């Protein structure tokens, strides 16, 4: 990502870029930034293509044409599927080795196989940039920068509560932060009451509550939390994946805590928000190491059985809740 930032700043552009990864917010942000930096607002020499049925020969012809009264011709191609599979006689793939200096191609892909011929070509002749889910340090720096622009402060407690509600997805963080800044406009600082008044808790809060209920052997509460997730249109597969992730975090946190590390050190080592580690420590007190390992293995097994059709998606999660939340 630093290389991409530098290209945008210096306007020394590669001939081909690939933007991809889990953090869709950053993919979109840097796509827009790169386009603006290359074109300087010129739309005459920009072409957009999207989807898997692309006129590859036409794209090559267009990319071979000199720009009209401009320094660069820009071709933007989104969700082409070319980075998953491509034809042996793909004219665009061969063209990537010979892109004219006056042309720049930007690929934006939701799915990318790093073993694909297109990925290797971009790596050889340009720059592939993967945007992964960001760690706690980046998110805090990013949030504080947005808040500072509005010349307002935020208490540490309010910041922690905000991330509990907003989660780690930058799209959701951005949306919730916009609401929060509008709500607190004119104030000197943002406090916990402001966050709880305007922000909507992310579904991960329900996962925390579900795991608490399971640890407390409170089956009725566990089922209510599960029903709340279903009502929020979270599908069982996602719920199970979130349970697996949280049980896994709890095991790692327990292991590091036994080695004498404090919550801040554990958060830094695992790349997690401090509040996630603190919650995991509290939750793990309700589980023995043996029970945690057993629950994690059982969840993984049920998820596998669901994918092979041995269990329905609904039964997959409810089976885990009944097994471990029953007194």
């Amino acid at each position: 990502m630093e290389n991409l930032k530098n290209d945008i700043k210096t306007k020394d552009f590669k001939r081909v870029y690939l933007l991809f990864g889990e953090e869709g917010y950053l993919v979109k942000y840097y796509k827009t930034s790169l386009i603006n930096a290359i074109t300087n607002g010129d739309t005459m020499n920009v072409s957009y293509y999207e989807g898997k049925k692309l006129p590859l020969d036409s794209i090559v012809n267009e990319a071979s044409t000199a720009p009209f009264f401009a320094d660069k011709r820009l071709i933007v191609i989104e969700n082409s599927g070319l980075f998953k599979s491509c034809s042996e006689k793909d004219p665009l793939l061969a063209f990537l080795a010979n892109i004219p200096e006056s042309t720049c191609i930007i690929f934006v892909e939701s799915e990318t196989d790093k073993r694909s011929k297109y990925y290797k070509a971009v790596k050889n002749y340009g720059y592939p940039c993967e945007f992964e889910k960001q760690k706690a340090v980046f998110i805090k720096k990013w949030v504080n920068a947005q808040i500072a622009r509005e010349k307002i402060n935020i208490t540490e407690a309010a910041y922690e509560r905000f991330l509990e509600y907003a989660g780690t997805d930058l799209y959701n963080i951005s949306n919730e932060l916009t609401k929060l800044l509008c709500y607190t406009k004119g104030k000197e600082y943002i406090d916990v009451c402001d966050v709880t008044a305007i922000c909507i808790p992310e579904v991960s809060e329900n996962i925390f509550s579900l795991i608490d209920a399971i640890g407390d052997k409170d089956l009725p509460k566990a089922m209510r939390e599960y029903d709340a997730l279903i009502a929020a249109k979270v599908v069982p597969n996602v719920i199970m994946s979130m349970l697996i992730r949280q049980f896994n975090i709890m095991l790692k946190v327990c292991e590091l805590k036994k080695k004498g590390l404090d919550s801040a050190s554990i958060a830094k080592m695992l790349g997690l928000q401090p509040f996630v580690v603190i919650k995991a420590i509290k939750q793990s007190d309700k589980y023995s190491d043996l029970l945690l390992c057993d629950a994690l293995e059982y969840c993984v097994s049920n998820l596998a059985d669901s994918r092979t059709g041995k269990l329905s998606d609904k039964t997959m999660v409810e089976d885990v809740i009944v097994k471990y939340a029953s007194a």
Side-chain angles (χ1 to χ4, degrees):
M1 192 161 67
E2 292 304 317
N3 289 338
L4 186 58
K5 287 182 183 178
N6 187 61
D7 288 0
I8 292 171
K9 182 179 179 180
T10 62
K11 292 188 177 293
D12 183 15
F13 302 111
K14 309 291 188 298
R15 298 184 192 183
V16 58
Y17 291 90
L18 165 63
L19 311 182
F20 70 105
E22 288 184 295
E23 189 48 78
Y25 181 92
L26 291 179
V27 171
K28 184 177 180 180
Y29 175 83
Y30 279 101
K31 178 190 78 170
T32 302
S33 299
L34 192 54
I35 290 172
N36 290 339
I38 292 171
T39 64
N40 289 316
D42 168 40
T43 58
M44 185 178 296
N45 294 288
V46 183
S47 300
Y48 293 88
Y49 296 91
E50 185 171 5
K52 296 181 179 179
K53 294 183 179 180
L54 298 174
L56 299 180
D57 287 314
S58 297
I59 293 173
V60 170
N61 289 334
E62 188 171 7
S64 302
T65 306
F68 186 71
F69 290 111
D71 294 329
K72 291 284 185 183
R73 175 174 295 283
L74 176 62
I75 310 291
V76 182
I77 302 172
E78 298 199 46
N79 296 318
S80 66
L82 294 172
F83 289 81
K84 293 292 286 182
S85 63
C86 67
S87 167
E88 290 293 329
K89 297 181 179 179
D90 187 319
L92 181 57
L93 177 62
F95 179 73
L96 296 185
N98 302 291
I99 300 173
E101 192 173 343
S102 59
T103 294
C104 182
I105 299 176
I106 302 173
F107 290 99
V108 182
E109 299 291 328
S110 57
E111 292 184 288
T112 298
D113 184 343
K114 292 181 181 179
R115 299 166 299 178
S116 68
K117 293 179 180 180
Y118 263 89
Y119 182 86
K120 292 174 182 177
V122 172
K123 192 173 182 180
N124 285 335
Y125 308 118
Y127 180 61
C129 187
E130 181 175 10
F131 297 92
E132 299 176 324
K133 288 293 182 183
Q134 297 300 300
K135 294 185 178 180
V137 173
F138 175 91
I139 292 174
K140 185 168 188 176
K141 184 178 179 181
W142 187 86
V143 169
N144 284 335
Q146 311 309 309
I147 292 173
R149 286 177 189 169
E150 299 300 319
K151 298 181 179 179
I152 188 171
N153 296 310
I154 184 169
T155 66
E156 189 64 27
Y159 173 77
E160 292 295 332
R161 180 61 59 84
F162 173 75
L163 286 187
E164 285 182 33
Y165 276 33
T168 57
D169 180 81
L170 284 180
Y171 269 123
N172 196 56
I173 290 174
S174 178
N175 290 336
E176 293 301 312
L177 188 57
T178 298
K179 286 164 38 181
L180 183 61
L181 291 173
C182 288
Y183 181 76
T184 56
K185 195 172 184 64
K187 291 187 66 174
E188 291 184 6
Y189 66 91
I190 299 168
D191 58 28
V192 173
C193 292
D194 296 321
V195 176
T196 55
I198 196 66
C199 295
I200 299 172
E202 198 212 16
V203 294
S204 59
E205 276 297 293
N206 293 101
I207 291 294
F208 289 140
S209 297
L210 174 56
I211 289 176
D212 275 338
I214 292 172
D216 290 333
K217 299 291 184 180
D218 189 340
L219 182 57
K221 184 181 177 183
M223 290 307 299
R224 285 197 300 273
E225 295 297 341
Y226 172 68
D227 289 339
L229 286 162
I230 295 298
K233 298 184 178 178
V234 184
V235 298
N237 271 335
V238 171
I239 296 173
M240 183 60 84
S241 296
M242 293 172 77
L243 283 173
I244 290 170
R245 178 180 183 274
Q246 190 60 20
F247 281 136
N248 197 31
I249 287 172
M250 289 162 68
L251 276 170
K252 289 179 180 178
V253 166
C254 285
E255 183 181 343
L256 293 173
K257 186 183 175 186
K258 287 176 182 176
K259 292 181 179 179
L261 275 70
D262 60 18
S263 59
S265 300
I266 294 172
K268 186 175 181 180
M269 183 172 290
L270 297 180
L272 297 170
Q273 294 290 349
F275 80 87
V276 173
V277 172
I278 291 168
K279 278 185 178 291
I281 290 172
K282 289 180 179 178
Q283 288 181 324
S284 62
D285 289 340
K286 301 176 181 181
Y287 293 80
S288 67
D289 288 354
L290 185 61
L291 182 60
L292 264 180
C293 288
D294 188 70
L296 179 59
E297 289 177 5
Y298 198 76
C299 286
V300 171
S301 175
N302 272 18
L303 183 59
D305 285 346
S306 170
R307 288 173 176 169
T308 58
K310 292 180 181 178
L311 282 176
S312 70
D313 290 349
K314 185 172 183 290
T315 303
M316 165 185 66
V317 181
E318 292 180 358
D319 181 46
V320 171
I321 294 172
V322 171
K323 178 178 174 65
Y324 294 100
S326 297

